[in-house]
Amino acid sequence: MKRESVADYVRSIPDFPEKGIIFRDVTTILQDADGLAMSIDALADMLKDIEFDVVVGPESRGFIFGVPIAYKMHQGFVPVRKKGKLPCKTVSQSYELEYGSAEIEMHADAILPGQKVVIVDDLIATGGTIEAIIKLVESLGGEVVKCCFVMELAGLNGRERLKGIPTESVIVYKGK
């Protein structure tokens, strides 16, 4: 059944992973052809007037949304992976999680100096992962010109960590 907006395809699960949290499940967007098409079209529309050379997306849902955007906009795609998953020389960046830290990597030759980069992911929450990706791109001489998300948890203030980079989300939830 076709719905009015991408938000209509999101399944909200109360009290997961803990009481008081509403988990926003992106898989219900992916499972429906109309929801998937609507989300990809909305992300692509955010980029229609942006000049860029490559799309970067983090493992794993950034791959799901970033690759179709790269294809649709006829640009390349660069994956950002968890440490130890890429086969060639990499650059890495650590970042803090709610309970601990993590490290991500991209190939050292994935971004060329001067390339304009768009980051695409399913969700921005605290912004830690995206901030780390921005640092990786900049360490290779690239410039992040926009960040695009399917969903945003505005109550976690993730945008504040993105150094003033234009950021847009298909759906914005006011809470956490």
Side-chain angles (χ1 to χ4, degrees):
M1 173 174 84
K2 188 160 181 144
R3 298 168 190 146
E4 298 291 317
S5 72
V6 177
D8 295 335
Y9 291 92
V10 176
R11 176 173 40 198
S12 296
I13 303 162
D15 299 323
F16 183 83
E18 59 188 51
K19 189 163 180 61
I21 301 292
I22 300 174
F23 183 84
R24 307 296 182 172
D25 185 7
V26 72
T27 64
T28 49
I29 295 172
L30 302 173
Q31 292 168 337
D32 188 287
D34 290 329
L36 179 58
M38 196 180 292
S39 64
I40 297 300
D41 289 347
L43 289 165
D45 196 47
M46 293 174 186
L47 298 170
K48 68 180 180 211
D49 297 322
I50 303 295
E51 187 179 314
F52 65 98
D53 304 302
V54 67
V55 175
V56 170
E59 185 174 351
S60 66
R61 292 177 304 264
F63 296 6
I64 293 169
F65 291 101
V67 168
I69 297 303
Y71 173 81
K72 190 169 188 146
M73 308 297 282
H74 198 73
Q75 299 295 355
F77 178 82
V78 172
V80 175
R81 306 252 0 233
K82 294 173 185 158
K83 185 169 180 60
K85 300 289 185 181
L86 292 170
C88 296
K89 182 179 178 191
T90 61
V91 292
S92 65
Q93 181 66 49
S94 296
Y95 62 101
E96 295 303 313
L97 298 168
E98 188 175 356
Y99 302 106
S101 63
E103 192 168 355
I104 55 173
E105 296 180 321
M106 71 170 51
H107 281 133
D109 61 355
I111 304 295
L112 302 175
Q115 279 192 312
K116 294 181 191 236
V117 174
V118 168
I119 299 172
V120 175
D121 202 2
D122 70 318
L123 175 74
I124 180 169
T126 65
T129 304
I130 304 305
E131 180 183 41
I133 293 170
I134 292 166
K135 289 176 181 176
L136 283 176
V137 168
E138 290 174 348
S139 76
L140 295 173
E143 175 191 2
V144 178
V145 295
K146 188 155 188 181
C147 297
C148 299
F149 305 95
V150 177
M151 297 183 289
E152 177 175 352
L153 304 179
L156 294 173
N157 303 313
R159 284 178 186 243
E160 292 176 10
R161 297 175 80 169
L162 305 187
K163 298 167 71 170
I165 294 168
T167 299
E168 198 169 351
S169 303
V170 178
I171 306 164
V172 178
Y173 295 105
K174 293 183 182 192
K176 300 176 183 180

